[in-house]
Amino acid sequence: MNLNVQLFAVARDWAGRDQIPLELPADATVERLRRELDRVVPRLAESGVRFRIAVNDEFAADHQQLHENDSIALIPPVSGG
């Protein structure tokens, strides 16, 4: 399946773009997506930062199944005061 992952903030800076197109197997989960993003943008893995992944505008667990045409976003941790 083909997916486009929207990137924000530091993830966008590290990737040098605001979207990453990925091709994943039909039975892919969020965890598989996470591993593929780490491969395509090594700095994501190297940083040790745990990014959240949203699927269709809701935070997703790593075991969640993905589907063609899902809306995917990589959300960096948020801090503030």
Side-chain angles (χ1 to χ4, degrees), residues 20-66:
I20 294 179
L22 295 177
E23 186 173 333
L24 297 173
D27 63 347
T29 62
V30 169
E31 178 60 33
R32 174 67 188 264
L33 171 74
R34 190 180 297 283
R35 288 193 315 265
E36 187 64 13
L37 285 169
D38 287 348
R39 185 188 70 74
V40 172
V41 185
R43 184 128 185 231
L44 292 173
E46 294 164 1
S47 72
V49 175
R50 178 73 172 181
F51 289 81
R52 301 282 309 263
I53 294 179
V55 178
N56 300 322
D57 300 323
E58 294 188 19
F59 288 124
D62 283 345
H63 66 271
Q64 182 172 328
Q65 185 81 32
L66 298 172

